[in-house]
Amino acid sequence: MKKILKLASLLALAMISFNAGAKDYLATDFGARADGKTLNTASIQAAIDFISANGGGRLILKGGDFVTGTIYIKSGVTLHIEEGSRLLGSLNPWDYVRDPDAKWTSMIFSIMQKNIGITGGGEINCRGFLVATKGVDYCHLGLIDDPLKLDRLQEGKRPENIHFYKCENITVTGITLRDPASWNQQYDKCRNILVDGVKVDAKSYWNNDGIDIVDCSDVVIRNCDFDAADDVYCFKSHSKDGVSENILVENCRGRSSANGIKFGTYTLGKFKHFRFRNMLIEDTYRSAITIATVDGAQIEDVEIDGLRSIHTGNPIFIRTGSRRPGDNPYMKDIVIKNVYAEVPFDKPDAGYSYEGPVEDLPRNVCASGIQGIPGMPIQNITLENIEIVYPGKADANYAYRGSSKAELEAIPELEKSYPEFSNWKELPAWGFYIRHAEGVTFKNVKITVADVDYRPAIVADDVNGLNFKGVQIVQDSAPKGKKQIVTNNVKNFKNKK
């Protein structure tokens, strides 16, 4: 933890020092027009190239709206958008580049560069809904290939706002990122990243993530506000040799029609040394916390300390799976503490422009899950100072899952499925479902159900080393003598009040 905090301080100081000596250039001096109409791709790119070739500095956009297609930030250049000004994406899909190295499409690229940034109080807006729907029109005309046939282009063919690939020393501060056509901001195989004070409004089209960190190291994300149609804080690995490590996320708010904090779904490499502090997750359809490895990744040393989850469909989902032949995933040393969560009975993202699906029904409200797979248990999971309030109202006549030995052992593994808590539809517990795990500790954990629920509070199946200390289960409507903790194939179970 001390190493990660030191990293955060060093990154902040390095970025301040870098920007302090930067020379300023106005985009309008290179012919760019802030009229919201002129396509400024060539003039903005010429300015970036000139600044990079002449010792670096800041390219300042101010005085209105600058329209552009794809531009590339070069080493030593910071794109500074002043408050009240905007960088707007062209409405013509042909003005965007699918980069051959990154293999994605974006409005702003930086490929294998150093000492780069985007700063200021202004806005970057791809106008992605309009761009993406025009792209669909071109698919119907046969001008763009649409292999998925979902009436929307694949993610990589729609422009993101920002995509940095194999870059070092990145600072993104103060800006607003709005309306991408795909993912919003992606950092792929980068090192030394500071994202601070950024506001994201990305809920206008499919796959609008808040931020994607892919095989990156030495990353600080702080003081940000995210409103996303897809996952908010998304950590991925696209290659077996990829490593994501030394990552700190703190003092951030997130809202999503998918997950809040998510590891996955692409999880091929290694993830280690992650810290999350003082997080708020609201109105989120799926899980506030999803930590999943389903493609062979190794995840270890993750700590989430201080999270408030309000009106979120599921508090905690920890999962291993095996979608590819020969996968050997593992997950260990996960600490989640100082969490308060409230789960609603209704759909938590109802009314947003891109909601989560409803096809997972019928099911009652799902429990939090710690779910490994046979022979590959999740190891060393600690939950401490946790309080979760569930709505109850589970109806066995609507959806039923029993907790007898035979019924528990009949629950499908689904190890090749996409990792979502709702895949099992009905789970046999209303509070926590624990399966295929070793060394699980609950300390000062309180779970409350507000209404009738036919299921027990906690079900543990195939667990070695289950330690409860100060676990409180509150269900005022429960029949007298109802068994709230059900175990099957559990070894070394300790339950201390």
Side-chain angles (χ1 to χ4, degrees), residues 3-70:
K3 180 180 179 181
I4 294 177
L5 292 177
K6 183 178 180 181
L7 163 69
S9 298
L10 290 174
L11 274 176
L13 288 172
M15 300 312 175
I16 291 170
S17 175
F18 170 67
N19 289 322
K23 186 176 179 180
D24 290 346
Y25 300 84
L26 293 176
T28 50
D29 287 344
F30 292 83
R33 295 184 179 180
D35 57 10
K37 298 177 182 179
T38 302
L39 184 65
N40 294 295
T41 310
S43 56
I44 293 175
Q45 190 62 61
I48 291 171
D49 294 347
F50 177 86
I51 295 168
S52 179
N54 287 273
R58 298 194 309 172
L59 177 62
I60 297 178
L61 276 58
K62 69 176 183 178
D65 294 340
F66 296 81
V67 177
T68 186
T70 295

Side-chain angles (χ1 to χ4, degrees), residues 251-276:
N251 304 327
C252 291
R253 171 196 171 270
R255 204 281 326 163
S256 170
S257 289
N259 298 273
I261 297 168
K262 184 178 181 183
F263 288 67
T265 293
Y266 290 107
T267 45
L268 281 79
K270 295 181 180 179
F271 301 78
K272 55 186 179 181
H273 313 319
F274 280 70
R275 297 293 183 268
F276 300 84

Side-chain angles (χ1 to χ4, degrees), residues 46 89 97 191 232 254 349:
V97 173
R191 183 170 182 178
V232 178
D349 67 335

Side-chain angles (χ1 to χ4, degrees), residues 171-410:
T171 177
V172 179
T173 62
I175 60 169
T176 295
L177 296 171
R178 198 181 302 277
D179 195 11
S182 183
W183 295 3
N184 179 46
Q185 52 181 325
Q186 181 177 175
Y187 305 87
D188 187 355
K189 297 180 178 64
C190 296
R191 183 170 182 178
N192 295 338
I193 305 168
L194 176 65
V195 179
D196 193 347
V198 170
K199 181 179 180 180
V200 170
D201 184 353
K203 56 181 185 295
S204 64
Y205 203 70
W206 300 100
N207 312 111
N208 279 181
D209 293 356
I211 184 168
D212 291 89
I213 304 294
V214 183
D215 294 320
C216 294
S217 62
D218 303 330
V219 179
V220 175
I221 304 166
R222 55 166 44 136
N223 307 320
C224 294
D225 188 288
F226 294 88
D227 190 349
D230 215 317
D231 302 321
V232 178
Y233 316 94
C234 201
F235 305 94
K236 303 176 185 288
S237 176
H238 288 167
S239 58
K240 288 289 185 181
D241 60 352
V243 179
S244 293
E245 63 180 344
N246 301 331
I247 293 176
L248 171 66
V249 185
E250 63 179 356
N251 304 327
C252 291
R253 171 196 171 270
R255 204 281 326 163
S256 170
S257 289
N259 298 273
I261 297 168
K262 184 178 181 183
F263 288 67
T265 293
Y266 290 107
T267 45
L268 281 79
K270 295 181 180 179
F271 301 78
K272 55 186 179 181
H273 313 319
F274 280 70
R275 297 293 183 268
F276 300 84
R277 306 190 309 180
N278 191 27
M279 307 292 290
L280 174 62
I281 304 293
E282 299 179 297
D283 295 349
T284 292
Y285 174 69
R286 294 201 182 277
S287 300
I289 302 167
T290 291
I291 305 176
T293 169
V294 293
D295 301 318
Q298 301 165 6
I299 300 178
E300 60 182 302
D301 187 23
V302 176
E303 180 181 280
I304 299 171
D305 183 0
L307 183 142
R308 186 173 177 85
S309 168
I310 304 298
H311 210 242
T312 301
N314 179 260
I316 300 169
F317 180 62
I318 301 174
R319 172 66 174 162
T320 56
S322 182
R323 298 195 299 184
R324 304 163 190 263
D327 282 354
N328 188 26
Y330 75 72
M331 187 187 306
K332 65 180 183 180
D333 302 333
I334 311 295
V335 177
I336 301 173
K337 60 184 180 180
N338 301 318
V339 171
Y340 177 81
E342 293 178 2
V343 179
F345 182 74
D346 58 343
K347 195 169 185 291
D349 67 335
Y352 286 91
S353 52
Y354 277 78
E355 295 183 17
V358 295
E359 65 267 18
D360 299 310
L361 300 175
R363 62 173 175 84
N364 293 302
V365 172
C366 285
S368 291
I370 302 171
Q371 297 169 236
I373 55 178
M376 299 179 189
I378 296 171
Q379 299 175 304
N380 301 336
I381 306 296
T382 299
L383 273 60
E384 182 176 354
N385 298 333
I386 309 289
E387 182 176 358
I388 303 175
V389 180
Y390 292 94
K393 301 183 183 180
D395 184 349
N397 293 316
Y398 176 66
Y400 176 80
R401 179 78 75 181
S403 56
S404 70
K405 180 179 178 64
E407 288 169 318
L408 291 178
E409 293 179 356

Side-chain angles (χ1 to χ4, degrees), residues 23-135:
K23 186 176 179 180
D24 290 346
Y25 300 84
L26 293 176
T28 50
D29 287 344
F30 292 83
R33 295 184 179 180
D35 57 10
K37 298 177 182 179
T38 302
L39 184 65
N40 294 295
T41 310
S43 56
I44 293 175
Q45 190 62 61
I48 291 171
D49 294 347
F50 177 86
I51 295 168
S52 179
N54 287 273
R58 298 194 309 172
L59 177 62
I60 297 178
L61 276 58
K62 69 176 183 178
D65 294 340
F66 296 81
V67 177
T68 186
T70 295
I71 57 174
Y72 283 76
I73 296 178
K74 302 291 183 63
S75 290
V77 177
T78 294
L79 182 64
H80 184 84
I81 307 170
E82 295 216 342
E83 187 172 358
S85 294
R86 299 187 297 176
L87 185 66
L88 298 179
S90 167
L91 298 181
N92 186 348
W94 302 110
D95 288 333
Y96 297 96
V97 173
R98 181 176 170 89
D99 185 84
D101 292 309
K103 296 180 175 59
W104 280 77
T105 306
S106 186
M107 181 164 72
I108 302 174
F109 273 118
S110 191
I111 308 295
M112 292 177 272
Q113 304 296 306
K114 297 181 179 181
N115 303 324
I116 55 176
I118 304 174
T119 62
E123 179 180 309
I124 295 171
N125 185 334
C126 187
R127 300 191 285 186
F129 178 82
L130 296 173
V131 177
T133 51
K134 281 192 175 183

